Amino acid sequence: MAKEEIMNQLDMAQFSGRDLRMTSKVSKNGNHWYEFIRVACPICGHTGNCIVNETGTAIICTRCENKHPYGTAWYYSLKYSAKTNQSNAIRMSKHVPDIKQASHANDNQLDKVYRLLLLYYGLTKADFKTLTSQRHLSEETIKHHHYATFTESKRQVVRTESGKIYSIWHLLFKKIGIPLDSWLGVPGFYGVNLPDCKELLPIFNTVEGTLIPFRNASNLITGLQVRVHKIPVYIKVINKQFKSMAYKIHASADGSFTITDRYGEEITTGFGVFHQENTVQLPDGMLTFKMSKGAKYIWVTSVHKLEGCGPSGDLGLPCQVDLDGIYQTLRLEAPANFRQQPKTAWITEGGLKTDVATEQLSQVFTTQELDKFGHMIIGVPGTSTWRPLLKLIADLNITRVTLAYDADFVSNKAVQTQYSKLISALSNRVVVQIAIWNINDGKGIDDCLVNRKRPKIICLNA
Ligand SMILES: [Zn+2]
């Protein structure tokens, strides 16, 4: 690719502190890697997922293919420049935190702590309403899957009248009889040192939103995602052509924006286009800016916090494993038989979507049809992170899969590439079927089934 040949080492000074997010990836030489979160990846022009090393000499792009595949992405090495390298070294040395991290807890510990946490937070009425009326989940499924709402207002550290400080988590762990340090290695938890408290106190934190539990094949909750309540919108001012001292842009995820003056007085409002230049006429000139949207779903993580950890264990990010009523009974009554029995699984992407679709299966298909198409749905953690699926396929003796990615995958080049990689990885292992439906019947398999439409199932390799 031409871009690869001409691109020089990135000058890291061009990024402000919040443009990049440090990931858990560290090269063998100790180089940390950063994700482009508020600025576009210079290779593909998109925010999110693609990463750059701290020296600015390499980019791993998740969207643009070249001749150097790297996992499910592509490696770009950039032209070295001694001068840039020196300034990068000075700049990035300030970024690397030397914080002790905990190693990922095992599945049983994750499950115990997460179940307790979800119970403690509970689900708000507003979130319950969204899940039932917009996503068509039943009350039973919501309860069964332990959906909850994270709000910052719930107290985690309490001071008694006598001045003693205690952690709500220690209290809860004691109550259910698990060790007081059970929070160690559970993504989302980290420790804080308070001035008049000798022990390290556990704190759980993420962004406000609906907590979506990811359950493994044994029904253990091994990861949490948040569907964020307020999707952040990032603004980058491209060109200021006015005399006034300061304007502020406030934008929402629907594209609407308001421009205020330095006193907070509204100057103008409008609708902008994401990832494109928007120019606004102001009383004393023009303002051009670009807007980009943050993610709707994020993994709960406490990476780079004291005794915290990232969302993925040894096997990568967790998959969502959902069973229909027939398989749930089988797993409950004969877990060994359940594992050994050859089976078919639907494969889609996303945790909430998987929960919604599984509940609808028996509403659309007969038991005999589900024997062929699948009594279970596995939600891969992301379109580019399907590798954990291969282990599940072996563990659960899955011999046939029905792929059900969103109907618009054909319009997204990056998703399309990952999809065909997934298909070729699966074709060597199992019988591959594809579910196809009209996009007007719903974007995701969940919408399609909720609308009582039957996808067409086509076999690729049998
Ligand atoms: Zn990229």
Side-chain angles (χ1 to χ4, degrees), residues 41 43-44 50 61-63:
C41 157
I43 307 288
C44 65
C50 305
C61 181
T62 56
R63 299 178 185 89

